[in-house]
Every structure is written in structure tokens, then in C-alpha cells.
Amino acid sequence: MNTTTRTTTRTTVRTRTRTRVLHWIAVHITAVAVALFFVLPFVFVLLTSVMSDEQAMSGELWPHEWQWSNYAEVFRTPGFLDWWKNSLIYAGLGTLFTVCSSIPVAYALAKFRFRGRRTAMTLVIATMMLPPQVIVIPMYLVWAQQLHLSGSLWPLIIPLAFGDAYSIFLLRQFLLTIPTEYLESARIDGCGELRTLLSVVVPMAKPGIAAIALFQFFSCWNDYFGPQIYAAQNPGAWTLSYGLESFKSAHSVDWNLTMAATLLVMAPIILVFFFAQKAFVEGVTLTGVKG
């Protein structure tokens, strides 16, 4: 009886071990397949960008000779460096203005109790549902005819100094996870609301702030609609996302140069996310803890 029991136990253990191993193999094979599905397009762009003109037009996938000079030629394109500068200004200032303006509003909506708080939150959510195409004509008339700022990126940057609805909502959700006891302790120690915000809330909300900063940076860097509306008539104010369309038209048969330019446009986004992905994932995850 004991021998039979031991044999059965060993068989059960082996079966469970085999099941765990097969499950581990299946999960990792699936993960590798999904990773390849997302990575292969970038690999194709990279390989094409270092091919010669003739080979890029052929169906070959591996370059005979790696021509890194294609990237130098892209940078020598008239206006390309200006597009880079304009994209950095737009994305950098837009992110800075959004973060600085959204933090106080999100803090007030998350931690203050005042009449009309729910109405204010409803208005913030309502603006998130409003497509930008609905207000583009009246806003363009204001910026172009009243303020004479058409042909520049300022009509896209200045409004971000007054907050962004999605950033306020996301950061407010994160601030709800911060225990109120920390804020009360700071107030008991004599801190005002501004000092409490800067000394207690902001350090504890770094993941959430990093998340909204990355979201806004990506949005500004990839924005095509805004520069098309306000900066189309001034090539000196074009961004990379809008200038890439002009570059593609001028090099319609030079697929190697087009892919090189495309990779240069994507590179900052990839690098920023690679180095900040931990804070980004943590911030996005914790925003859904409380409602």
C-alpha cells in the first residue's frame, strides 16, 4: 500500500512538473512571437535605411553594403535640422507647460472639498470627449486674425499652459492614491498648501507626473494635425512629423532615405520610452487604483 501511494505521488509530481514546464514554454514562445510581431517592422525600416538606392527598390531584405551615409544625407536636407529644433521646442515646452499647469488643478480636484468640485471634474471629462476638429475653425480665427500668430507653433504651445484635460484626469486619479494623513501631518507642521504640494505631494506623485509628461511629449512630438493647421504656410516652423511628409514627396523613389528619415523621427520616442518605461508603467498602473 505504501509503495503504491509513493508511486502515485511521484507520478503526480512528475505530471505537475511537466505541466509547469510546458506552460512556461508555451508562454515564452507566445511572448517571443508577439515581440517579433512588433519588432520586425522596425528591423525592416532599419535594414532598408542602410541600403543603396538600387537595392532599396528591389525585393531584397538584407543590405549588401551598409550605407550609414544615408543618415548624414538626410541631415543635409534643407530644413531637416530646423524641423528637429521645432519639434524639440514644441514637445519640450508643451510638456513643461502641461505638467506645471495640471499638477495644481489635479491636486485641488483630488484633495480639496469645495462646492462645485464634481461639476468641475465633469467639465474636465467633458472636454476630453470634445474632438479638436470641432473647435479648430474658431480657434484658428482667434490665433490668426486676432493674435496674428499663424505660421508659428505658439497657438499649439500657449494653450497647454492652461492645463490639459487628460493629464489633469490621469494625475487626479493618481493623487487619490496618496493617503490624506501625509497632507494633514504637513499642515500640522505649519506647511501651507503650496509647500505641502511641492514638498509632500510632488515627490510622492513622481510616477504619475512622469506618466503625464511622457504622454504629452509623445503627443506633441507625433502631432501632425496641429502643425498642418497653424504652421503649413511657414516651412521654418514645420515639425518633424509634418516635414516628413514633404521629405517623402521630394524623395518618393529613394526608399532608403525615406526610411532613414522615418527612423530618425521615431528614435527620440523610442529612447525616451526605453529609459523611462519603469516610471511610465508604474504611473499608468497606479492611476486606476482609486476612482
Side-chain angles (χ1 to χ4, degrees):
M1 187 69 177
N2 291 337
T3 303
T4 303
T5 304
R6 284 196 297 269
T7 302
T8 305
T9 303
R10 289 173 184 172
T11 304
T12 304
V13 170
R14 289 174 183 173
T15 302
R16 290 178 179 175
T17 303
R18 189 180 300 111
T19 302
R20 292 196 198 99
V21 171
L22 292 175
H23 180 266
W24 184 90
I25 292 174
V27 168
H28 283 75
I29 288 177
T30 303
V32 170
V34 172
L36 288 175
F37 179 78
F38 287 101
V39 170
L40 286 178
F42 294 99
V43 175
F44 173 77
V45 171
L46 174 61
L47 294 178
T48 307
S49 68
V50 293
M51 291 180 179
S52 62
D53 296 340
E54 296 78 12
Q55 188 181 2
M57 296 295 293
S58 66
E60 299 181 22
L61 298 178
W62 193 262
H64 298 159
E65 183 179 354
W66 296 68
Q67 297 190 3
W68 298 103
S69 58
N70 291 340
Y71 291 93
E73 188 171 348
V74 170
F75 273 108
R76 286 196 296 267
T77 301
F80 194 83
L81 290 178
D82 291 333
W83 302 343
W84 258 89
K85 180 189 68 175
N86 295 334
S87 292
L88 288 175
I89 292 175
Y90 179 24
L93 289 180
T95 302
L96 178 64
F97 288 170
T98 298
V99 170
C100 292
S101 60
S102 298
I103 290 176
V105 179
Y107 174 58
L109 292 174
K111 297 302 181 181
F112 288 179
R113 297 293 181 267
F114 57 90
R115 182 177 298 178
R117 183 171 66 96
R118 292 184 178 275
T119 302
M121 192 63 208
T122 302
L123 290 175
V124 171
I125 297 175
T127 57
M128 293 169 53
M129 303 177 182
L130 190 65
Q133 292 81 2
V134 174
I135 60 173
V136 64
I137 294 178
M139 291 301 298
Y140 179 81
L141 293 177
V142 170
W143 290 109
Q145 296 185 359
Q146 303 298 324
L147 301 178
H148 306 289
L149 288 176
S150 61
S152 70
L153 295 174
W154 290 113
L156 302 173
I157 297 175
I158 293 176
L160 296 176
F162 299 94
D164 173 72
Y166 181 72
S167 300
I168 292 172
F169 173 77
L170 196 67
L171 190 57
R172 182 251 184 189
Q173 295 300 107
F174 185 91
L175 294 181
L176 288 175
T177 65
I178 298 178
T180 308
E181 289 76 9
Y182 289 104
L183 280 64
E184 294 175 349
S185 298
R187 291 165 184 153
I188 292 175
D189 291 339
C191 294
E193 293 299 338
L194 180 59
R195 187 176 177 184
T196 301
L197 173 62
L198 298 178
S199 302
V200 179
V201 176
V202 170
M204 297 182 68
K206 284 182 179 179
I209 295 173
I212 67 169
L214 287 173
F215 272 128
Q216 191 60 48
F217 185 87
F218 295 164
S219 176
C220 292
W221 188 270
N222 295 324
D223 187 16
Y224 179 86
F225 181 73
Q228 183 186 31
I229 296 298
Y230 293 104
Q233 65 271 33
N234 180 17
W238 288 0
T239 59
L240 280 171
S241 58
Y242 186 72
L244 184 62
E245 180 67 25
S246 174
F247 184 93
K248 186 177 69 173
S249 300
H251 300 81
S252 56
V253 296
D254 300 325
W255 284 106
N256 52 345
L257 298 182
T258 301
M259 293 300 180
T262 302
L263 194 61
L264 289 173
V265 173
M266 295 189 300
I269 297 296
I270 296 174
L271 291 176
V272 168
F273 182 78
F274 179 79
F275 287 107
Q277 60 178 323
K278 182 179 179 181
F280 175 77
V281 173
E282 182 180 358
V284 172
T285 302
L286 293 178
T287 52
V289 174
K290 278 181 123 179

